[in-house]
Amino acid sequence: MRRPIIAGNWKLYKTVRETVQFIEQLKPLVQESKHCDIAIAPPFTALARAASAAAGSNIWIAGQDLFWEKEGAFTGEVSAPMLADAGCQCCIIGHSERRQYFSETNDMVKRKTQAALAAGLMPIVCVGETLAEREAGDTNRVIRIQFEESLNDLTVQDFFRIVIAYEPVWAIGTGRTATPEMAVEVHKQIRQLAQQRFGAEASRELRILYGGSVKPDNIKGLMAQVDIDGALVGGASLKPDSFASIVNF
Ligand code: PEP
């Protein structure tokens, strides 16, 4: 039985003070939520304080990105060991906004995933097609290439430690959600790719999250699908009440 994960991606929102306030408000709302893992991904500046505020609770702290080198002359970058040192347990990798605005490639996603694993972080690796790709009937090919180019080089052991988030780009921040059936079709494909490359057990254990305009009113329908193992939530993760009602679907 796969344990669901509900993760909040805050993107470029919230100061340190707002982050701590959010966590203090969220804690009592989810302290009895034993049915899933819970993570939030604040901006880099707030990670260490977020981790202190969440210490001892059931809330994990995630980075939104990382750089694959441990240290060096890479101005502006933050490494996986630095995230772990700040108190993170996981990190989002390859979010479509990174691919779209910061030219991230599948090869970069691969290096970042490997760096996260080496630092003991759980990578949440994002894949997903654009609207043009979906309309051209290219969804399966795009997902397969993203999977193969960013994940095929992992060891089976490491594959057990990753989470994949299927995030159709056209559904992120647009209010357009994939129907549960549309999401499931791609989740099944991802599980099949995992089985072909990493074997039946790794595929069975793999947690695949859906992301794209998840809200308190559509989470139930998504989580009713056996192949959907949780959600990566953007906008609706910015308010404790709304995020907590997604967690407590
Ligand atoms: C995201 O940022 O990963 C996301 C899915 O955003 P939203 O929920 O706002 O669509």
Side-chain angles (χ1 to χ4, degrees):
M1 190 65 185
R2 295 182 296 268
R3 184 173 165 76
I5 306 178
I6 305 292
N9 172 22
W10 284 0
K11 315 189 189 206
L12 191 55
Y13 290 100
K14 293 197 192 291
T15 61
V16 174
R17 193 177 57 81
E18 289 164 345
T19 298
V20 172
Q21 199 172 44
F22 176 105
I23 292 173
E24 293 308 338
Q25 289 172 5
L26 180 66
K27 279 199 286 196
L29 302 177
V30 299
Q31 65 186 358
E32 300 303 328
S33 312
K34 314 273 188 230
H35 61 287
C36 68
D37 293 327
I38 305 164
I40 52 169
F44 285 137
T45 47
L47 287 174
R49 290 287 298 279
S52 305
S57 77
N58 54 346
I59 303 166
W60 291 343
I61 303 301
Q64 297 179 16
D65 182 32
L66 55 77
F67 187 58
W68 54 82
E69 295 291 344
K70 281 192 193 131
E71 56 185 15
F74 302 103
T75 302
E77 295 296 334
V78 173
S79 73
M82 288 170 182
L83 292 185
D85 177 59
C88 291
Q89 289 82 11
C90 37
C91 187
I92 298 167
I93 295 177
H95 191 279
S96 66
E97 286 152 15
R98 304 281 332 155
R99 296 175 188 260
Q100 189 179 351
Y101 304 125
F102 303 97
S103 308
E104 240 173 66
T105 62
N106 293 334
D107 183 62
M108 291 159 80
V109 172
K110 171 169 93 177
R111 295 205 224 180
K112 290 180 178 200
T113 303
Q114 290 170 339
L117 289 163
L121 297 171
M122 180 186 82
I124 302 173
V125 181
C126 303
V127 297
E129 80 288 0
T130 62
L131 186 58
E133 289 163 343
R134 175 161 282 267
E135 287 179 345
D138 239 3
T139 300
N140 291 135
R141 190 184 63 83
V142 169
I143 299 295
R144 179 176 53 74
I145 291 171
Q146 288 175 341
F147 185 101
E148 288 176 355
E149 292 186 356
S150 41
L151 301 175
N152 262 12
D153 285 353
L154 295 182
T155 63
V156 176
Q157 250 172 341
D158 277 346
F159 190 78
F160 272 100
R161 297 169 51 211
I162 75 161
V163 168
I164 295 179
Y166 167 54
E167 298 211 308
V169 178
W170 48 270
I172 297 178
T174 59
R176 276 184 76 176
T177 323
T179 61
E181 293 73 25
M182 281 159 105
V184 161
E185 195 189 324
V186 178
H187 284 221
K188 278 191 194 316
Q189 186 207 353
I190 293 171
R191 214 172 284 292
Q192 203 171 18
L193 290 165
Q195 172 163 7
Q196 284 160 5
R197 168 64 187 89
F198 297 100
E201 195 190 348
S203 155
R204 232 184 357 257
E205 297 284 314
L206 173 67
R207 295 189 283 183
I208 307 174
L209 315 185
Y210 168 77
S213 299
V214 172
K215 304 269 182 302
D217 61 4
N218 60 22
I219 184 69
K220 242 195 163 111
L222 291 161
M223 292 307 294
Q225 310 295 320
V226 276
D227 260 303
I228 299 182
D229 307 311
L232 182 53
V233 187
S237 71
L238 289 167
K239 295 217 164 74
D241 284 357
S242 126
F243 187 58
S245 58
I246 293 173
V247 167
N248 297 320
F249 59 89

mmCIF file of all heavy atoms in Angstrom, residues 9 11 95 167 171-173 211-214 232-235, ligand 1:
data_model
loop_
_atom_site.group_PDB
_atom_site.id
_atom_site.type_symbol
_atom_site.label_atom_id
_atom_site.label_comp_id
_atom_site.label_asym_id
_atom_site.label_seq_id
_atom_site.Cartn_x
_atom_site.Cartn_y
_atom_site.Cartn_z
ATOM 1 N N ASN A 9 3.782 23.599 -3.019
ATOM 2 C CA ASN A 9 4.871 24.323 -3.677
ATOM 3 C C ASN A 9 4.530 25.808 -3.614
ATOM 4 O O ASN A 9 3.617 26.265 -4.296
ATOM 5 C CB ASN A 9 4.987 23.858 -5.133
ATOM 6 C CG ASN A 9 5.956 24.711 -5.923
ATOM 7 O OD1 ASN A 9 6.826 25.373 -5.351
ATOM 8 N ND2 ASN A 9 5.813 24.699 -7.237
ATOM 9 N N LYS A 11 6.380 28.372 -4.534
ATOM 10 C CA LYS A 11 6.959 29.218 -5.596
ATOM 11 C C LYS A 11 7.571 30.480 -4.976
ATOM 12 O O LYS A 11 8.164 30.398 -3.915
ATOM 13 C CB LYS A 11 5.894 29.558 -6.647
ATOM 14 C CG LYS A 11 5.074 28.330 -7.053
ATOM 15 C CD LYS A 11 4.179 28.591 -8.209
ATOM 16 C CE LYS A 11 3.256 27.394 -8.401
ATOM 17 N NZ LYS A 11 2.781 27.254 -9.757
ATOM 18 N N HIS A 95 10.526 21.196 -11.973
ATOM 19 C CA HIS A 95 9.192 21.800 -12.102
ATOM 20 C C HIS A 95 9.088 22.480 -13.471
ATOM 21 O O HIS A 95 10.069 23.029 -13.972
ATOM 22 C CB HIS A 95 8.978 22.810 -10.973
ATOM 23 C CG HIS A 95 7.568 23.280 -10.876
ATOM 24 N ND1 HIS A 95 7.053 24.264 -11.694
ATOM 25 C CD2 HIS A 95 6.549 22.873 -10.083
ATOM 26 C CE1 HIS A 95 5.783 24.448 -11.400
ATOM 27 N NE2 HIS A 95 5.449 23.615 -10.422
ATOM 28 N N GLU A 167 2.629 16.640 -13.725
ATOM 29 C CA GLU A 167 2.029 17.970 -13.745
ATOM 30 C C GLU A 167 1.847 18.437 -15.182
ATOM 31 O O GLU A 167 2.783 18.976 -15.778
ATOM 32 C CB GLU A 167 2.932 18.958 -13.003
ATOM 33 C CG GLU A 167 3.135 18.626 -11.546
ATOM 34 C CD GLU A 167 3.338 19.896 -10.736
ATOM 35 O OE1 GLU A 167 4.196 20.704 -11.089
ATOM 36 O OE2 GLU A 167 2.600 20.062 -9.754
ATOM 37 N N ALA A 171 -2.237 22.740 -16.898
ATOM 38 C CA ALA A 171 -3.122 22.735 -15.726
ATOM 39 C C ALA A 171 -2.517 23.478 -14.536
ATOM 40 O O ALA A 171 -3.169 23.636 -13.512
ATOM 41 C CB ALA A 171 -3.430 21.290 -15.323
ATOM 42 N N ILE A 172 -1.273 23.950 -14.690
ATOM 43 C CA ILE A 172 -0.604 24.581 -13.547
ATOM 44 C C ILE A 172 -0.958 26.062 -13.477
ATOM 45 O O ILE A 172 -0.692 26.817 -14.409
ATOM 46 C CB ILE A 172 0.926 24.399 -13.633
ATOM 47 C CG1 ILE A 172 1.266 22.915 -13.571
ATOM 48 C CG2 ILE A 172 1.618 25.160 -12.523
ATOM 49 C CD1 ILE A 172 2.739 22.613 -13.704
ATOM 50 N N GLY A 173 -1.587 26.437 -12.369
ATOM 51 C CA GLY A 173 -1.919 27.839 -12.133
ATOM 52 C C GLY A 173 -2.967 28.390 -13.082
ATOM 53 O O GLY A 173 -3.175 29.601 -13.159
ATOM 54 N N GLY A 211 -0.295 17.026 -10.089
ATOM 55 C CA GLY A 211 -0.250 18.459 -9.813
ATOM 56 C C GLY A 211 -0.852 19.241 -10.952
ATOM 57 O O GLY A 211 -0.636 18.910 -12.128
ATOM 58 N N GLY A 212 -1.588 20.293 -10.620
ATOM 59 C CA GLY A 212 -2.206 21.146 -11.642
ATOM 60 C C GLY A 212 -3.570 21.578 -11.153
ATOM 61 O O GLY A 212 -4.538 20.834 -11.294
ATOM 62 N N SER A 213 -3.610 22.768 -10.517
ATOM 63 C CA SER A 213 -4.874 23.338 -10.026
ATOM 64 C C SER A 213 -5.622 22.400 -9.082
ATOM 65 O O SER A 213 -6.857 22.309 -9.136
ATOM 66 C CB SER A 213 -5.761 23.777 -11.197
ATOM 67 O OG SER A 213 -5.089 24.775 -11.955
ATOM 68 N N VAL A 214 -4.879 21.714 -8.214
ATOM 69 C CA VAL A 214 -5.535 20.911 -7.176
ATOM 70 C C VAL A 214 -6.094 21.871 -6.123
ATOM 71 O O VAL A 214 -5.438 22.829 -5.720
ATOM 72 C CB VAL A 214 -4.537 19.922 -6.516
ATOM 73 C CG1 VAL A 214 -5.186 19.232 -5.318
ATOM 74 C CG2 VAL A 214 -4.061 18.895 -7.536
ATOM 75 N N LEU A 232 0.761 17.502 -5.744
ATOM 76 C CA LEU A 232 1.670 18.632 -5.615
ATOM 77 C C LEU A 232 0.803 19.862 -5.878
ATOM 78 O O LEU A 232 0.226 19.999 -6.959
ATOM 79 C CB LEU A 232 2.827 18.515 -6.612
ATOM 80 C CG LEU A 232 3.903 19.604 -6.559
ATOM 81 C CD1 LEU A 232 4.485 19.781 -5.157
ATOM 82 C CD2 LEU A 232 5.049 19.277 -7.529
ATOM 83 N N VAL A 233 0.714 20.712 -4.862
ATOM 84 C CA VAL A 233 -0.276 21.785 -4.867
ATOM 85 C C VAL A 233 0.422 23.137 -4.882
ATOM 86 O O VAL A 233 1.278 23.397 -4.024
ATOM 87 C CB VAL A 233 -1.145 21.693 -3.583
ATOM 88 C CG1 VAL A 233 -2.289 22.702 -3.642
ATOM 89 C CG2 VAL A 233 -1.662 20.280 -3.356
ATOM 90 N N GLY A 234 0.072 23.994 -5.830
ATOM 91 C CA GLY A 234 0.665 25.331 -5.872
ATOM 92 C C GLY A 234 -0.208 26.329 -5.125
ATOM 93 O O GLY A 234 -0.185 26.411 -3.900
ATOM 94 N N GLY A 235 -1.018 27.067 -5.879
ATOM 95 C CA GLY A 235 -1.814 28.167 -5.316
ATOM 96 C C GLY A 235 -2.591 27.811 -4.049
ATOM 97 O O GLY A 235 -2.598 28.584 -3.078
HETATM 98 C C1 PEP B 1 2.574 23.647 -8.934
HETATM 99 O O1 PEP B 1 3.102 24.716 -8.691
HETATM 100 O O2 PEP B 1 3.256 22.621 -8.944
HETATM 101 C C2 PEP B 1 1.138 23.617 -9.203
HETATM 102 C C3 PEP B 1 0.580 22.483 -9.521
HETATM 103 O O3 PEP B 1 0.459 24.820 -9.121
HETATM 104 P P1 PEP B 1 -1.147 25.025 -9.048
HETATM 105 O O4 PEP B 1 -1.661 24.062 -8.020
HETATM 106 O O5 PEP B 1 -1.314 26.451 -8.629
HETATM 107 O O6 PEP B 1 -1.687 24.737 -10.394
#
